[in-house]
Amino acid sequence: MAVAPPLQCTARGAPRPETQRMKGLFITFEGTECSGKTTQAQLLADRLRQLRMPIRLLREPGGTPIGEEIRHTLQHSHANAAMTPEAEMLLLNASRAQLVREVIRPALAAGEIVICDRFYDSTVAYQGYGRGLDPKIVQTVIDFAVGDTRPDVTFLLLVPHEVSEERRLARQATLPFIRDRMEEADRSFFERVITGYHAIAAAEPARVRVIDGTGDIQTIHNQIWALTLPLLKRGVFAT
Ligand code: TMP
């Protein structure tokens, strides 16, 4: 079995500096509410596990005990109604800084495939474009939180706002209601988030692969699988 050299690409396609070479593969999923990214992250993880690949499936905010507490504060806590955009952005990046150091870097160094349901593109789209925070400050805080830990590939699932709303209402009708502060924003906020995601994809087309999230689950999965396979063939996972 020929083993190809480890993956060494940064988000922008430039080789990682020697000191930061990681053996694993870092995949992130992004998208607006109810775009299907969580389902697709799970399907990809399941398929890779069936091939006996070492998988770490994570989510943001969250993914560590500290991060899950921050998630609760951000989304569900009764005490969060007055949260400012600045506090929100810093809490998200506190969760991220913890996740990167506690889980993602060790997993990548051990040669695992890390799949993360949201990462820093969410902050650019939601806090930068959505909340209107200064993009330079948002980027500085993200850079501080993640350092050189950048996704190799990002699957961005996009659905129009009406589709998000339809799916969210359908989900609410079947599940017990749990208040989520993030979902309380108005339509114009979510439209700015979509604009932000388009801008992110345009700026980094090699890393960010845009996927139409309105298709059926299996078709989207097949599309994501077709984009993932070449990465496996290039990396340490080549068989
Ligand atoms: P989700 O995991 O169900 O998508 O919920 C996470 C929520 O948090 C979602 O509304 C998007 C939001 N979020 C941000 O606003 N900025 C971020 O950086 C991240 C990771 C999530």
Side-chain angles (χ1 to χ4, degrees):
M1 182 182 84
V3 177
L7 290 167
Q8 292 159 7
C9 282
T10 63
R12 289 174 203 277
R16 282 187 182 130
E18 194 69 39
T19 50
Q20 282 135 22
R21 280 186 183 170
M22 300 276 185
K23 289 187 287 176
L25 178 65
F26 187 16
I27 301 172
T28 59
F29 280 79
E30 292 284 350
T32 43
E33 318 301 300
C34 300
S35 59
K37 62 180 178 41
T38 304
T39 304
Q40 292 300 333
Q42 183 70 59
L43 283 173
L44 181 63
D46 290 347
R47 188 149 179 188
L48 290 166
R49 276 199 193 103
Q50 279 165 15
L51 296 175
R52 299 186 179 282
M53 302 274 180
I55 300 301
R56 200 65 79 107
L57 179 58
L58 304 168
R59 70 172 180 180
E60 273 209 346
T64 63
I66 290 171
E68 290 298 325
E69 293 213 357
I70 293 174
R71 183 183 180 96
H72 175 75
T73 302
L74 282 161
Q75 293 180 245
H76 311 301
S77 162
H78 293 302
N80 72 14
M83 189 178 295
T84 65
E86 291 80 3
E88 177 181 277
M89 198 264 287
L90 291 167
L91 282 171
L92 285 157
N93 279 286
S95 168
R96 179 166 300 136
Q98 187 69 31
L99 183 66
V100 163
R101 287 156 188 82
E102 187 178 329
V103 185
I104 297 178
R105 282 184 192 161
L108 291 174
E112 294 183 28
I113 300 177
V114 174
I115 300 176
C116 200
D117 182 352
R118 295 196 183 279
F119 200 52
Y120 57 65
D121 295 316
S122 286
T123 306
V124 174
Y126 281 76
Q127 281 64 51
Y129 282 80
R131 301 281 192 225
L133 291 179
D134 181 335
K136 284 203 191 97
I137 294 176
V138 170
Q139 195 56 56
T140 301
V141 175
I142 289 172
D143 291 344
F144 179 64
V146 306
D148 289 312
T149 305
R150 311 270 163 173
D152 294 295
V153 66
T154 297
F155 297 120
L156 169 56
L157 275 81
L158 289 180
V159 295
H161 180 65
E162 300 71 46
V163 176
S164 283
E165 271 305 283
E166 262 171 42
R167 291 182 181 176
R168 196 173 63 81
L169 294 172
R171 189 185 61 191
Q172 256 178 26
T174 56
L175 296 173
F177 178 73
I178 301 174
R179 175 180 161 269
D180 183 340
R181 190 185 57 87
M182 297 304 301
E183 291 179 357
E184 290 169 356
D186 61 18
R187 182 193 176 104
S188 63
F189 170 84
F190 289 108
E191 278 166 358
R192 288 195 298 279
V193 171
I194 294 176
T195 302
Y197 273 132
H198 280 296
I200 290 165
E204 286 190 67
R207 170 178 69 90
V208 183
R209 316 308 297 260
V210 181
I211 293 177
D212 176 1
T214 59
D216 72 275
I217 290 177
Q218 193 55 44
T219 306
I220 295 173
H221 170 65
N222 292 343
Q223 210 180 332
I224 289 170
W225 184 247
L227 291 165
T228 304
L229 267 181
L231 299 173
L232 302 177
K233 285 181 180 150
R234 273 207 327 248
V236 282
F237 309 102
T239 51

